[in-house]
Amino acid sequence: EPEVTQTPSHQVTQMGQEVILRCVPISNHLYFYWYRQILGQKVEFLVSFYNNEISEKSEIFDDQFSVERPDGSNFTLKIRSTKLEDSAMYFCASRGEAGYTEAFFGQGTRLTVV
Amino acid sequence: LAKTTQPISMDSYEGQEVNITCSHNNIATNDYITWYQQFPSQGPRFIIQGYKTKVTNEVASLFIPADRKSSTLSLPRVSLSDTAVYYCLVGALDTGRRALTFGSGTRLQVQP
């Protein structure tokens, strides 16, 4: 079964540092997403990406966040200056062509900001 | 976006059928209903999706009444491995640009 791959599985970083979370979506999928989940809370939408641009973003996705699809396979989430409250599981997801609505999620990256 | 309401938690025993109902009173004409499952420290996983009436796959059934203001996920003969959080999502039948919005979900605990 095709799968979305995320690396690293766990990252620890110091407050104020930049982090890049990486995702390899399912090949031939066109729509890409980042979500986050703070421990014990619900899954929160961050941003959606299509045709090399952001389609939709939540209020969480402020200027500290950016996304990129640099080489046609990887999809990255960058946090420029991490805060303690950025500690969470970050999930990447991808969906296929228009009308195909099942989203496939990766296993997540656990980000710990200390 | 249509708001969804689900029970916060449910308990069951192995071998029983579990029905989780989701209320979505403000569902729009072009909205579909999708259920996801999430185990601890894992990404959500698609279970089933439907627009109206009944949908069945190898894992679950989804019942949607004619007014579509609610839906029921039915898990036949649950096992311990079905212990997870189940999310009901309502989203538009459009392109993939629109993101799925997760609610608080239903935490299902299956006992031996």
Side-chain angles (χ1 to χ4, degrees), chain A residues 59-113:
Chain A
E59 61 275 9
I60 301 170
F61 194 87
D62 61 22
D63 292 343
Q64 292 299 312
F65 292 87
S66 62
V67 289
E68 200 175 41
R69 190 160 156 78
D71 56 13
S73 61
N74 291 288
F75 179 50
T76 62
L77 174 70
K78 182 193 288 186
I79 309 175
R80 289 193 182 82
S81 179
T82 50
K83 308 185 192 72
L84 294 176
E85 54 265 36
D86 292 327
S87 295
M89 281 287 280
Y90 287 80
F91 295 107
C92 171
S94 69
R95 291 166 81 175
E97 298 179 2
Y100 182 52
T101 54
E102 176 182 347
F104 291 82
F105 284 78
Q107 289 296 86
T109 293
R110 181 175 298 282
L111 176 66
T112 303
V113 182

Side-chain angles (χ1 to χ4, degrees), chain B residues 17-20 35 47-48 57 59-63 72-78:
Chain B
E17 178 184 78
V18 170
N19 296 308
I20 306 174
W35 286 79
I47 302 174
I48 197 166
N57 63 22
V59 176
S61 294
L62 178 60
F63 299 91
T72 300
L73 174 72
S74 181
L75 303 172
R77 299 180 297 283
V78 294

Side-chain angles (χ1 to χ4, degrees), chain B residues 25-42:
Chain B
N25 291 319
N26 297 323
I27 190 168
T29 303
N30 62 340
D31 282 343
Y32 61 94
I33 298 138
T34 309
W35 286 79
Y36 280 78
Q37 174 193 56
Q38 187 182 29
F39 298 113
S41 298
Q42 293 189 27

Side-chain angles (χ1 to χ4, degrees), chain B residues 67-84:
Chain B
D67 66 6
R68 304 200 325 121
K69 292 184 185 299
S70 66
S71 58
T72 300
L73 174 72
S74 181
L75 303 172
R77 299 180 297 283
V78 294
S79 64
L80 295 176
S81 62
D82 292 316
T83 293

